[in-house]
């Protein structure tokens, strides 16, 4: 199971039997709109707070994934989820709605692959038959909590990113057609001393590089093993840094297979500065767009490297730098 | 591995090869003081913020457990931890110090047994050789974040609890003498509509009962299987409610084997209202006092049911009730 220092190889190949991606108005205007199961034109989703709207996004992603698998809530044994909100309320309140055993996680924007890695471990080790992995973010809740309420209309530097309003969920099962989870590399916390919450991509890039190099070292494979390697939400600035750092480490990933979910999700015309971010970024792009490409036969094997900035507004106020992490999961379409 | 609906049985019996408990000044005055590895007379631990003091508590618990096992940081493959702070900064910053692959969790005060359950799954399924599980809380950081800064000197009702200043860590290994993790029951979110953050024990009691009944149903055993069943931090009020609810469910736990870590940790003379709470409560009492009793031969088999209130100040302000959860881990001393 454990290979090298920090990589799990799943011998029983847990199947991703269904996924769902739900998005908001900005995501509906982006180039991946057709890959979402549901898109909301209203940031409020008919709720009386943005936080309740975020919870609704996650609930919808979870129930949609369960429905697509032809299952009932009661078939799901464990729900693994985390999000950016203080005390992960989006996940906890969704777990209340689902009423299934719940394992709460926090890995900031790496929560998508943290939950998929742990969920796969549960299925692989026969500790569960059906395991649901989810995560969410909402532009207005994240901006309010980490920076300024969006209603203030405050300006941002070009290194800043745009938090995705969206939720993604994957339902894992022991058996099934389609994409299989092959391996997962659990990341270490890396902190290069960056303390600017408007430059998360730069802060997270070294963590992505640390996990990517660990993945290839542990598995003794080369990047060409994959048809696509996608980082979570480095955005344009962080993605460029990650590419440069990888070269310095002697691990060059060919340009044609290397991308970032935060770059893919929005178009050049959208006012999103350096690109998308948030737990919902890698979750919706992976569980919508990338897995759809796999199902169409366009991609056979991919590596998703979700990155997370583990700061809190309080740690920032206390002049701490931003510890970052990345978790990588390898998915292969085996027909 | 999976037995019944939500219980994992660990066939390879992961060993708790070392544990550590670190406490603060209130814990030093309590009846379990001698079971702590380290006690601090100063709430600040020489740091310039309470949050940094909490991080130091967790760092000390982790490094002490590693030292007691005769290992180095680099021997530890995975660190699983969560705490009450927004974005679990105590855990994330400790993970930065430890520099080992990190799995961030959030289960509020249930984080102690959530991490022990998942850590045991990793060791049991051969996904790791040495896995460190930790958690922490600090009276002044938790009060400031969830209720009022302690400096305000605000009054509290008798149902309120006293957040433990302490951190606990357990180092798991594949082989080893002493206590073994036998099984874990992952809890569901239970919400009975209580919304008063000064009455957490009452809110959490139904979640404890839900997990306890699931544990005995899944494993088809009776409470007398255990020499001790300890809830995490229900306090006097919640513990009484849990006992009453269990009787209603037809599951009576004999008084001589049923207790609560939040009641054990402080004496009647200490001004702690309904008792102790916080992630550090079940962690220090279990990893200090209870495991010491097992090592002395006073207890052979115990069940720890750590309870967590998954609220955030914001969910409370938005008039939400408090979703609660409990995770149970069964530990047996096999010599």
């Amino acid at each position: 199971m454990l290979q090298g220092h920090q990589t799990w190889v799943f011998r029983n190949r847990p199947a991703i039997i269904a996924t769902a991606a739900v998005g908001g108005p900005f995501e509906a205007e982006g180039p991946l709109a057709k890959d979402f199961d549901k898109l909301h034109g209203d940031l409020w989703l008919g709720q009386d707070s943005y936080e309740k709207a975020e919870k609704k996004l996650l609930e919808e992603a979870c129930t949609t994934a369960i429905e697509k698998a032809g299952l009932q809530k009661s078939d799901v044994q464990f729900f693994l989820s985390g999000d950016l909100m203080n005390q992960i309320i989006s996940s906890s309140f969704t777990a209340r709605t689902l009423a299934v055993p719940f394992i709460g996680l926090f890995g900031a924007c790496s929560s998508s692959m943290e939950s998929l890695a742990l969920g796969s471990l549960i299925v692989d080790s026969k500790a569960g038959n059906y395991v649901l992995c989810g995560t969410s973010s909402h532009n207005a809740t994240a901006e309010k909590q980490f920076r300024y309420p969006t209603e203030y209309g405050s300006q941002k530097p070009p290194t800043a990113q745009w938090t995705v309003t969206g939720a993604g969920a994957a339902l894992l099962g022991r058996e099934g057609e389609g994409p299989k989870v092959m391996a997962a590399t659990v990341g270490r916390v890396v902190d290069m001393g960056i303390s600017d919450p408007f430059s998360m991509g730069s802060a997270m890039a070294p963590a992505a590089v640390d996990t990517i190099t660990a993945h290839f070292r542990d598995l003794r494979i080369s990047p060409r093993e994959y048809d696509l390697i996608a980082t979570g939400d480095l955005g344009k600035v962080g993605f460029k840094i990650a590419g440069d750092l990888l070269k310095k480490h002697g691990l060059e990933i060919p340009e044609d297979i290397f991308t970032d979910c935060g770059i893919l999700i929005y178009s050049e015309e959208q006012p999103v500065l350096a690109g998308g971010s948030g737990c919902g970024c890698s979750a919706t792009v992976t569980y919508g767009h990338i897995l759809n490409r796999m199902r169409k036969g366009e991609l056979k094997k991919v590596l998703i490297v979700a990155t997370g900035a583990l700061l809190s507004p309080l740690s920032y106020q206390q002049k701490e730098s931003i510890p970052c992490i990345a978790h990588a999961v390898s998915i292969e379409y085996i027909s």
Side-chain angles (χ1 to χ4, degrees), chain A:
Chain A
M1 166 63 85
L2 180 67
Q3 192 165 324
H5 279 87
Q6 59 200 89
T7 301
W8 297 332
V9 176
F10 303 116
R11 304 289 171 201
N12 299 316
R13 300 175 175 180
I16 302 177
I17 54 176
T19 58
V22 179
F26 310 112
E27 294 67 34
E29 289 169 14
L32 310 185
K34 65 184 186 316
D35 287 309
F36 283 82
D37 293 274
K38 197 165 185 176
L39 286 162
H40 291 273
D42 169 23
L43 266 181
W44 294 90
L45 277 81
Q47 305 297 303
D48 61 7
S49 78
Y50 287 134
E51 290 77 17
K52 290 179 185 172
E54 180 176 336
K55 182 191 71 168
K56 202 172 172 209
L57 283 172
L58 184 54
E59 286 177 348
E60 286 183 353
C62 290
T63 51
T64 303
I66 295 169
E67 277 168 29
K68 283 169 82 173
L71 296 173
Q72 305 290 322
K73 279 182 210 169
S74 55
D75 295 318
V76 177
Q77 272 139 343
F78 302 101
F79 173 50
L80 283 76
S81 185
D83 57 82
L84 291 170
M85 290 293 92
N86 293 341
Q87 288 73 50
I88 60 164
I89 47 171
S90 314
S91 298
S92 301
F93 284 83
T94 296
R96 181 176 73 181
T97 306
L98 293 172
V100 298
F102 171 54
I103 295 171
L105 306 174
F106 180 78
C109 309
S110 73
S111 299
S112 60
M113 292 304 117
E114 183 185 348
S115 58
L116 191 63
L118 279 172
S120 300
L121 177 70
I122 291 174
V123 172
D124 193 67
S125 59
K126 300 188 170 58
N129 303 320
Y130 293 115
V131 176
L132 184 65
C133 308
T135 190
S136 63
S137 56
H138 188 293
N139 187 276
T141 65
E143 292 304 320
K144 178 167 98 179
Q145 184 180 279
F146 286 101
R147 285 161 293 253
Y148 300 102
T150 47
E151 291 89 339
Y152 287 10
S154 56
Q155 299 233 323
K156 289 176 154 196
T159 54
Q161 291 172 241
W162 184 269
T163 307
V164 166
T165 301
L171 187 60
L172 297 170
R174 277 198 205 162
E175 319 244 313
E177 280 296 298
K180 305 282 189 297
V181 184
M182 306 301 283
T185 301
V186 178
R188 296 184 305 159
V189 172
V190 176
D191 187 334
M192 301 303 281
I194 289 173
S195 59
D196 178 4
F198 290 108
S199 190
M200 297 287 214
S202 323
M204 295 191 293
V209 169
D210 193 74
T211 298
I212 291 170
T213 51
H215 181 79
F216 290 110
R217 190 177 56 231
D218 284 352
L219 294 182
R220 297 179 191 176
I221 54 173
S222 77
R224 275 289 177 206
E225 181 84 10
Y226 293 105
D227 302 319
L228 190 78
I229 297 173
T231 48
D233 57 347
L234 295 181
K236 285 179 220 161
V237 178
F239 184 66
K240 171 81 173 62
I241 295 171
D244 291 347
L245 284 173
L246 281 166
K247 276 180 206 161
K248 273 198 183 171
H249 282 72
L251 187 83
E252 201 153 339
I253 302 180
E255 267 184 37
D256 61 311
I257 60 164
F258 196 29
T259 190
D260 179 72
C261 299
I263 296 173
L264 291 173
I265 193 166
Y266 298 120
S267 69
E268 283 287 337
E269 288 70 42
Q270 289 182 280
V272 295
L273 303 160
S277 68
C279 300
C281 182
S282 57
T284 59
V285 172
T286 303
Y287 297 150
H289 178 65
I290 294 176
L291 285 186
N292 280 346
R293 288 193 66 194
M294 295 186 91
R295 292 178 188 117
K296 283 183 216 157
E298 295 172 17
L299 301 168
K300 188 166 158 51
K301 194 167 182 183
V302 303
L303 183 69
I304 311 296
V305 188
T307 40
L310 306 174
L311 85 164
S312 85
L314 190 142
S315 72
Y316 165 69
Q317 286 154 9
Q318 293 188 0
K319 316 281 183 207
E320 282 277 10
S321 53
I322 304 174
C324 294
I325 198 162
H327 301 298
V329 175
S330 145
I331 304 170
E332 185 169 349
Y333 195 92
I334 299 171
S335 48

